[in-house]
Every structure is written in structure tokens, then in C-alpha cells.
Amino acid sequence: MTTTPLAARGPRAWWRVPQRQVPVLATLALLLVMYGIGVSQYRAFSNIQVVFNIFIDNGFLLVVAVGMTFVILTGGIDLSVGSVVAMTAMVSASLLGDGVHPAVVLLIALLIGPALGFAMGCVIHFFDIQPFIVTLAGMFFARGMCTWISSTSIPITDGFWTSAAQERIRIGENFVTVSVLVALVVVAVAAYTLAYTRLGRNVYAIGGNQQSALLMGLPVGRTKIAVYTISGLCSAIGGILLSFYTLSGAPLIAIGMELDTIAAVVIGGTLLTGGSGYVFGTVLGVLVLGVIQTLITFDGSLSSWWTKIVIGGLLFAFILLQRLVGIRKK
Amino acid sequence: MSTARTRLAGVTGHRLFWPLVVLVVLLAANTVYRPSFLSVELKNGHLYGSLVDIVRLSAPLILVALGMSLVIATGGIDLSVGSVAAVCGAIACLYISEQPDQNSLGAVLTAVAIAFGVALVLGAWNGILVAGIGIQPIIATLILMVAGRGLAQLVTSGQIITINSEPYKTIGVGHLLTLPFAIIIALAVTLVVAVLTRRTALGMIIEAVGGNAEASRLAGVRSRRITFLVYVVSAACAAVAGFMMTANVSSADGNAVGLWVELDAILAVVIGGTSLAGGRFYLSGTIVGALIIQTLTTSVYAMNIDPQTALLFKAVVVIAVCLIQAPAFRARFRRRHAPTAAPATPAEKQKEQVPA
């Protein structure tokens, strides 16, 4: 996170932070403050397992948000993620119920999301229709498919799934689940892709200025299709992780998840206009959402709707911060 | 021969042509499925029939979509309308439920006035964020979309508030002059908006702001004030829609009122031929779009299909309408199937794509 690949690196005082990293650092500071408040208010909060639980409870959200980061970095948006997560979980649950081998189910589940993402990317690129509308249609489509498969929740009893769900990986006194490991691998691969590969550079270039990227001869179309495919793949992985977590597929699951992921990406300091942001910021954004929920759970007297109000307030604060940073840069 | 072809191209090229075709096809499909579909009858001085029902049920969507048209015309988008509808419906119902006499007209009017005032404040909040601070509209209104749901639940304390108020119920299911009251409200608001934007320079000014806010400012348009205004109007429309939705069921559920209505409204606007990039708006198209969406929903319900599965059909219609209207798609289709055809009406000048 210390490299500034596209900005000129002139001589500067060591305490000056590059401006594009200010939002990420602000999120980090916020996260630490919130965690500090939790620890000072509730004795059990200092338990390391609390931190691990945030990861366990939000592993699928983390994976989906990583995919969304790619899309938003190009200046697009993907509203279909929540529905694709639900569809993946439904397809897995229904196929497993039919007695299909888990490996085959895994493969099919991992193919559907990217296929839909690829199709949406193609429509966005070739027919020049706004991502907002295309992914909205994708959202309707995937959600419709869920109920079409089954209008009720399907439980999963498959051995592989239950063992993946219940496996506890011990770290000293505490534990994490398989989902957390998968999520961390996805984060690592995504961070590497964005920072060090040609695809990553193209993503930033398109988000910075699509016309310039086109004039530079970058494969704009291919990259745009790729980011929606990546987002679809991440949603599919997220769907499988969610089916590990709940051991069922339900048609109404993960409603509104697209908002949570967009909020996490924005709070993580990625500009919604594209071109600036880091996967690490998204991880912090998801953790902020997780800590808010944990704080509200620990408090006990606050109702769940406060989560939404607090997230709205945080969104406002961070967008304002980005705006101020943006103005100073000009 | 050539004039006939030009005339045909003029008709099929009209921006309302394809949306109307879709609407007619949907209505025809319904009539095939249920021959009594088109019949409208007069009972006790009130009009009844599936068509009347469709228009009545689409009234809230028409209202929200009207406000959304103006916002989108300025190059913005308002994601918060569903939440605003929920907050306003909740406030109105809460106030009425606390009155000793829920049937008092004064109490209902006060409740509506208070909730409407809150809507104006919420709209002003959106307007300040977009026009004042200069935050991207999709994000600025996302804040209220997320937080507004929380606020609505806060107002109702997470409960469903049930009321028993005849005057309030009238907003949703009452009749006036044989027509459902909701239709009259939607019609009145449509007329006011249409007259204000099409019989005065206001509409053109809004389009100028959407075309290029900076250029319009230099040309002497108070572009920030206009931008601010459209968000307030959008919230006001959403509030009235919220009253209708809650009056329909005589209860307010902070979670469910206006859920997804922002997406339906944006769809209605897009189906109506308005580009999300801004600079143009077509109120008649928006209304046709809203009617298409409601007809689709109603007919899917009539066929006993799960409401959630209805989304599948919606997805197909959305993509079909968007593709038909996309210049890139039409050009491709024309090239492949009619290579020798004379160039049809010049494709609408395309604005530079703004990522949504």
C-alpha cells in the first residue's frame, strides 16, 4: 500500500501522506477508534475471537465487496451482486438436494455467476447501455431465478458442505472458519491483480479517464467485460461461502447486499467515479461495517435499524472527506 | 413508395413507438389469457375493471417516476425515493394513530402536512449534498436510501403501525367523480409538472442544466438552484406516493413501504426514452414506462406466479426495451439485416457516456 504507481513521486516531507491514501488512512483511524470504544466499553470486546468473529460473519461480504471494488474502480457499478449471491446459494442447495456430487455442484455454482457477469459486461460494452440499468436487469434476473428454483428455503445436508461449515481452524486459543481463509485468499489475489498486473493498470486507467485509456490503445472493452466477470465470480464465491455459513439456500437471502458492498467500498476510500482506491481499503470498509454491527449487538439496547442510520452517517462523513481531499488536490 | 417508407420510419422512429408496442403486447397477452381483461364497468357510480386497477396501482409509481424524470434530466439520479416514501408514510400513520379520533379530517390533513414538510427537508438534504457540496448524485442519495430505511423503522419503532382512518384511506382506495382518487392525484400532479416544465421555460432550463451544468451557469441559468429544486420536487412526489402506498393497506411498515420503487421509477424513466446521462426528459414516456411496469406486475400476479419470479419477466422486458432503444444495438441490427436500406432517421445525437 505504500506505492503510488500513477502519481508523480517528488521530494516531500516524510510525514506528508499521498493524498490518494488519505481516505484509506482515515478509515483505518476510524476502525481503530471504534474498536477502542468497544474495548473500553465492554470487557469481552478485547477478546481476539471478537475480531475473528467479525471476519467469520462477514467473509462472504468481503469477497463480494472485493469484486465490487474492481467494477467501481472502472467507474461502473454492479447492482446484481446480492441476487447472484442468493442465486449461487440456491443453485448449490438445489443441486445438492438432487444428489449431485459436491465437486460438480461447486464447479457449476462457480460458473453461473461469472457467466452472468460476462453477459452483462458484453451488453454494457457492445451496446453502450449504462451499467446501472444492465446490472439492475441482472439483479432482477438472478432474483427471479432464485424463486423459480424454489420459493422456499432449501436446507443443505451434504457432507462436504457441513464439514466446510463446521470445520474450525484453530489459531492459538481462538478459531476461524474455512470461509475466512477463502476470503483472505481472494483478497490477496485481488490486491496482487490490481497492483501488479496489466489488467489492474487497465482498470485504474479506465476509471481515471476512459477516453484517454481508449486513445492510449488500452483494451477498454475487454477490461470492462473482465471486471463484471470478476465481480460475478466474486459473487459466486460469496454465495458459496454464504451457503457454508447458513447451510441452506433461501430465495430472499442477501437482499440489499449490493448496498452494503457499495457502502463498504465507499467507506474504504474508493472513489465512485473510479480510478482511485485499494482492495485494502475495501477490507477496512467491511471491517468497519462489521464492528458497527458488533458494537450494536454488544450494546443490546440499540435496535438493528441503528445500523442503517450509522452506516448512512458514515457514508456521508467519508464522501465529504473524499470531496474535501478532492478539492484540495485541485 | 419512398414517402411511405419515410412515414413508416417516422412512426417507428418516434420515441414512444416501442414502449407503446410493448404496452399493447402486454395488454393483448392479458386479454388472450383472460378475455374479460379489457372490460370496464360502472358499479355504484365507480369505475371498475382490470385496466382501472392497473392505472390506480401505478399511481404511486407514476408520481415517483415524474420526480425521477426531472432529477435524471439534470443528469442526476435519486435513489432515496423509496426510503423517503417509507419515512413519510410512517410519520403520517404514526401521527394519525396517536389521535383520539382517527377519522377526523383535520388530523389527517395535519399528518399529511407534517410528513410532507419532512419530505421537503429530506429533499433539501439531497439537494444540498448534490448542488451545494457537489457530491455525485448516486452516492449523495445512497446515503438517504440506506439511512432513510433506518429512520422509517425508527419512526415506527420497528413495528407495523396499523391505522383505521377513512379520510386517509381515501388517498389510496377512495373514489371521486367515478374515478379512483389515486388516479386523480397522479393526473393532477402530472398536469402541474407538465404545464410548469413544458409551458414555461423551466423544462428547457432543467434540460440545459443536465446537458452541461457549467455551460448553463455561464449562460445565466442558476444551475445550482435548479438542481436543488429537482431533488426537493422528487422527494415531495415520493412523499405523496408514500401516503398512497400506506393508505392502500391502512398501515405503515418501515421495511416494506416503497421497497425497490426507486429501481422501478428509474426503469420507467429509461423505458420512456429518457437517457440516464441527462439533458432530455419525456414525461409522456415516463408515464407509459410506469404503466408498462405495473401492467407487467399485475399480469404476472394474475397468472398466479410468485411475485419474486415476476422479476424474471421484468429483467427480460428491461433488457429488451433498453436494447431496442440503444443506438449501438439498432445500428448493428440494421447493418446485418438490411444492408441496402436507405439510412433511416438520423440516430439521435449521442451524448458522451457518463458512467452511472
Side-chain angles (χ1 to χ4, degrees):
Chain A
M1 289 300 106
T2 51
T3 52
T4 49
L6 296 175
R9 269 194 263 181
R12 58 156 191 255
W14 60 269
W15 68 84
R16 292 282 302 206
V17 179
Q19 289 214 312
R20 52 167 50 216
Q21 287 171 18
V22 169
V24 178
L25 290 176
T27 313
L28 186 61
L30 173 83
L31 187 62
L32 293 177
V33 167
M34 279 179 14
Y35 186 72
I37 291 172
V39 171
S40 67
Q41 294 289 319
Y42 314 103
R43 190 183 294 169
F45 211 91
S46 56
N47 196 331
I48 298 296
Q49 189 60 42
V50 170
V51 179
F52 285 168
N53 280 344
I54 291 174
F55 274 99
I56 292 171
D57 294 339
N58 292 291
F60 56 93
L61 184 64
L62 185 55
V63 174
V64 178
V66 164
M68 182 71 91
T69 311
F70 276 80
V71 176
I72 289 181
L73 277 175
T74 63
I77 201 151
D78 188 350
L79 296 181
S80 70
V81 289
S83 306
V84 174
V85 164
M87 184 172 73
T88 311
M90 282 303 281
V91 168
S92 312
S94 131
L95 286 178
L96 287 171
D98 292 345
V100 181
H101 191 271
V104 180
V105 173
L106 216 51
L107 189 71
I108 294 174
L110 283 179
L111 277 178
I112 295 175
L116 184 62
F118 179 79
M120 292 191 299
C122 286
V123 174
I124 290 167
H125 171 61
F126 289 116
F127 301 128
D128 220 6
I129 303 178
Q130 267 120 344
F132 191 89
I133 288 296
V134 177
T135 55
L136 185 62
M139 168 188 181
F140 287 164
F141 176 79
R143 190 60 77 182
M145 285 301 282
C146 288
T147 354
W148 187 67
I149 293 171
S150 164
S151 55
T152 53
S153 173
I154 308 175
I156 298 176
T157 50
D158 176 74
F160 175 73
W161 246 257
T162 45
S163 63
Q166 283 149 7
E167 180 70 32
R168 292 185 166 192
I169 298 155
R170 300 228 148 256
I171 301 176
E173 293 284 290
N174 307 291
F175 69 92
V176 292
T177 55
V178 179
S179 301
V180 177
L181 294 188
V182 175
L184 291 180
V185 169
V186 170
V187 166
V189 171
Y192 176 82
T193 309
L194 272 180
Y196 299 111
T197 65
R198 192 174 292 171
L199 177 70
R201 293 295 159 94
N202 291 347
V203 167
Y204 281 108
I206 293 174
N209 189 331
Q210 186 173 326
Q211 303 299 327
S212 307
L214 203 60
L215 292 174
M216 276 166 70
L218 297 179
V220 171
R222 215 191 312 151
T223 311
K224 271 166 86 175
I225 295 171
V227 294
Y228 289 97
T229 315
I230 290 172
S231 177
L233 177 64
C234 287
S235 304
I237 298 174
I240 289 172
L241 295 188
L242 187 62
S243 67
F244 284 167
Y245 187 74
T246 61
L247 277 181
S248 68
L252 294 182
I253 209 166
I255 278 188
M257 193 182 188
E258 48 285 328
L259 290 183
D260 284 345
T261 46
I262 294 171
V265 172
V266 171
I267 291 175
T270 301
L271 280 183
L272 263 140
T273 40
S276 171
Y278 302 100
V279 170
F280 182 61
T282 300
V283 177
L284 294 179
V286 171
L287 289 180
V288 167
L289 297 190
V291 172
I292 293 173
Q293 258 147 14
T294 312
L295 278 173
I296 286 173
T297 316
F298 266 73
D299 182 89
S301 68
L302 289 174
S303 306
S304 63
W305 52 79
W306 280 105
T307 318
K308 292 176 189 166
I309 298 177
V310 172
I311 291 174
L314 280 180
L315 268 177
F316 173 61
F318 274 84
I319 290 159
L320 211 57
L321 175 81
Q322 290 185 352
R323 184 72 196 155
L324 291 176
V325 173
I327 289 172
R328 264 208 327 211
K329 200 152 52 175
K330 282 177 190 163
Chain B
M1 180 64 200
S2 70
T3 52
R5 178 173 282 175
T6 336
R7 203 170 294 156
L8 192 68
V11 173
T12 58
H14 192 271
R15 61 190 164 70
L16 275 184
F17 178 75
W18 287 109
L20 280 174
V21 167
V22 172
L23 185 58
V24 169
V25 167
L26 281 175
L27 292 176
N30 268 296
T31 317
V32 170
Y33 183 77
R34 200 153 45 92
S36 66
F37 179 77
L38 288 178
S39 68
V40 173
E41 54 185 321
L42 203 63
K43 260 189 227 160
N44 306 331
H46 302 332
L47 279 180
Y48 284 97
S50 303
L51 286 180
V52 181
D53 271 344
I54 287 178
V55 181
R56 179 176 71 83
L57 291 173
S58 61
L61 181 56
I62 289 178
L63 285 174
V64 175
L66 277 178
M68 187 71 81
S69 298
L70 300 183
V71 172
I72 289 180
T74 65
I77 203 157
D78 189 350
L79 295 182
S80 68
V81 284
S83 296
V84 171
V87 172
C88 293
I91 291 175
C93 287
L94 183 70
Y95 183 85
I96 293 173
S97 71
E98 284 170 349
Q99 299 307 307
D101 177 18
Q102 297 195 3
N103 283 322
S104 129
L105 186 64
V108 170
L109 287 179
T110 317
V112 167
I114 293 173
F116 197 74
V118 172
L120 296 183
V121 172
L122 294 177
W125 159 264
N126 279 336
I128 289 170
L129 290 192
V130 176
I133 307 179
I135 297 172
Q136 220 188 332
I138 189 173
I139 312 309
T141 54
L142 178 71
I143 297 171
L144 194 53
M145 181 186 188
V146 176
R149 277 280 155 218
L151 284 178
Q153 285 169 298
L154 188 66
V155 170
T156 63
S157 318
Q159 308 285 317
I160 297 175
I161 297 185
T162 313
I163 54 168
N164 190 8
S165 164
E166 280 306 318
Y168 190 70
K169 211 174 161 187
T170 309
I171 302 175
V173 291
H175 282 78
L176 185 73
L177 304 169
T178 75
L179 278 176
F181 197 53
I183 296 184
I184 294 179
I185 295 178
L187 213 62
V189 175
T190 309
L191 272 180
V192 169
V193 173
V195 167
L196 279 181
T197 56
R198 292 312 186 200
R199 288 282 168 263
T200 71
L202 189 62
M204 197 191 66
I205 292 173
I206 288 174
E207 293 183 339
V209 172
N212 188 331
E214 184 60 15
S216 69
R217 193 185 65 78
L218 294 174
V221 175
R222 294 182 189 273
S223 61
R224 284 190 170 190
R225 191 177 291 180
I226 293 288
T227 309
F228 176 81
L229 198 70
V230 291
Y231 286 95
V232 177
V233 171
S234 172
C237 287
V240 180
F243 300 148
M244 278 184 196
M245 295 171 192
T246 47
N248 259 333
V249 289
S250 280
S251 64
D253 178 354
N255 254 331
V257 173
L259 198 62
W260 305 134
V261 77
E262 56 280 335
L263 300 180
D264 277 349
I266 294 166
L267 279 186
V269 174
V270 172
I271 289 174
T274 302
S275 156
L276 275 179
R280 281 284 162 83
F281 70 98
Y282 308 106
L283 295 179
S284 51
T286 296
I287 289 168
V288 173
L291 289 175
I292 289 180
I293 292 172
Q294 189 56 51
T295 311
L296 194 64
T297 314
T298 310
S299 38
V300 167
Y301 286 179
M303 291 174 194
N304 282 328
I305 299 175
D306 191 290
Q308 293 290 323
T309 319
L311 291 172
L312 210 58
F313 294 88
K314 219 181 249 181
V316 174
V317 170
V318 169
I319 279 297
V321 174
C322 285
L323 282 180
I324 291 169
Q325 290 180 348
F329 181 79
R330 284 158 84 159
R332 198 169 283 253
F333 189 77
R334 221 173 270 142
R335 239 195 344 262
R336 193 169 300 161
H337 292 271
T340 53
T345 45
E348 259 183 82
K349 192 168 155 278
Q350 235 197 317
K351 270 172 58 96
E352 191 182 313
Q353 282 293 313
V354 181

